[in-house]
Amino acid sequence: MKRKQFVVIGLGRFGVSVTKTLIGNGHEVLAIDIDEHKVQEISTDASYAVQIDATDEVALEQLGIHKYSHAIVGIGEDLQASILITLLLKEMEVEKITAKAKDEHHGKVLTKIGADQVIFPERDMGRRLGNLIGSNHLVDYLELSDDYHVEEILVQKGMSHWKIEDLEVNRKYGCTIVAIKDRKQNIDISPKQDRVLREGEILILIGKPKSIQKMQKDYDKTVK
């Protein structure tokens, strides 16, 4: 994997987590915060850690921010600072800007002033938790887009010994089973239609969220 250069501005829990993950994946990270204590705490993990006010254009220019390929603005509570920093990064022609938003309104503003990607950690985590605890057999899922999800569905006792073709997931729901993970974490990619399911295995499928929800409801009725 090619080593990339990132700058993370704002060292709250989100910014620290992003910094440590990027470093763990072998990338270079410049970590910035106005709080000297936060900078000291991350200094042993980040490639570089600097205490400055990131709303100060001159300070950012002196750090050579324009040389970094990707900037992550992890400031969510101070909306004015978040917006101003994103705007400064855009004017400095940083190649890609990802910004954390507090709410939908904040997100719209960030998008309008040039953020390439806006994320909503609290909203997305709440949605994720609600989906996971609200299902009897949903193990995990990934939003590819608003239209398509990849979801992991637990094979329960009532579905054990069925063949994939018996589920008719494509014909009934427009979904596709792309893999099956067994209890030992072995993965069968593009399993054949006559593949027999076993209790405790996990179906990995792709489809539209509403279609997958409909499949899960029908699945619940079947396994009861």
Side-chain angles (χ1 to χ4, degrees), residues 17 126 131:
S17 179
N131 283 327

Side-chain angles (χ1 to χ4, degrees), residues 66-219:
H66 64 282
K67 297 178 181 178
Y68 287 81
S69 58
H70 195 153
I72 298 93
V73 182
I75 300 171
E77 294 301 320
D78 189 339
L79 305 190
Q80 183 175 342
S82 168
I83 292 168
L84 178 55
I85 292 168
T86 301
L87 185 59
L88 289 174
L89 293 171
K90 188 66 177 180
E91 290 178 345
M92 293 178 184
E93 299 183 347
V94 174
E95 187 176 333
K96 184 172 182 179
I97 303 170
T98 296
K100 172 186 173 183
K102 181 179 180 181
D103 51 39
E104 296 290 342
H105 179 68
H106 184 198
K108 287 181 180 179
V109 175
L110 291 171
T111 299
K112 285 184 178 295
I113 63 174
D116 299 288
Q117 181 180 21
V118 176
I119 57 174
F120 304 82
E122 292 184 357
R123 182 203 68 182
D124 294 344
M125 182 56 71
R127 179 189 297 169
R128 183 179 184 81
L129 179 60
N131 283 327
L132 291 175
I133 67 177
S135 171
N136 292 328
H137 42 259
L138 179 61
V139 178
D140 201 358
Y141 77 98
L142 170 68
E143 294 185 14
L144 295 179
S145 67
D146 290 337
D147 295 325
Y148 287 95
H149 285 187
V150 174
E151 301 202 2
E152 296 186 356
I153 307 296
L154 180 66
V155 176
Q156 298 186 20
K157 186 175 181 179
M159 200 63 73
S160 182
H161 303 304
W162 282 40
K163 294 180 180 179
I164 290 179
E165 60 190 5
D166 297 330
L167 298 177
E168 299 184 287
V169 295
N170 190 273
R171 185 182 70 82
K172 289 183 177 179
Y173 312 103
C175 302
T176 301
I177 296 175
V178 295
I180 297 177
K181 187 190 300 181
D182 66 22
R183 291 184 174 184
K184 294 182 179 180
Q185 301 301 303
N186 297 313
I187 299 180
D188 181 3
I189 304 295
S190 299
K192 296 180 179 179
Q193 289 298 300
D194 60 358
R195 166 71 152 75
V196 177
L197 303 176
R198 296 177 178 81
E199 183 180 0
E201 291 185 325
I202 294 174
L203 301 179
I204 303 174
L205 55 93
I206 183 171
K208 295 183 177 180
K210 288 185 178 180
S211 298
I212 296 177
Q213 289 173 10
K214 175 66 167 60
M215 190 200 80
Q216 290 186 62
K217 288 180 180 179
D218 293 344
Y219 187 19

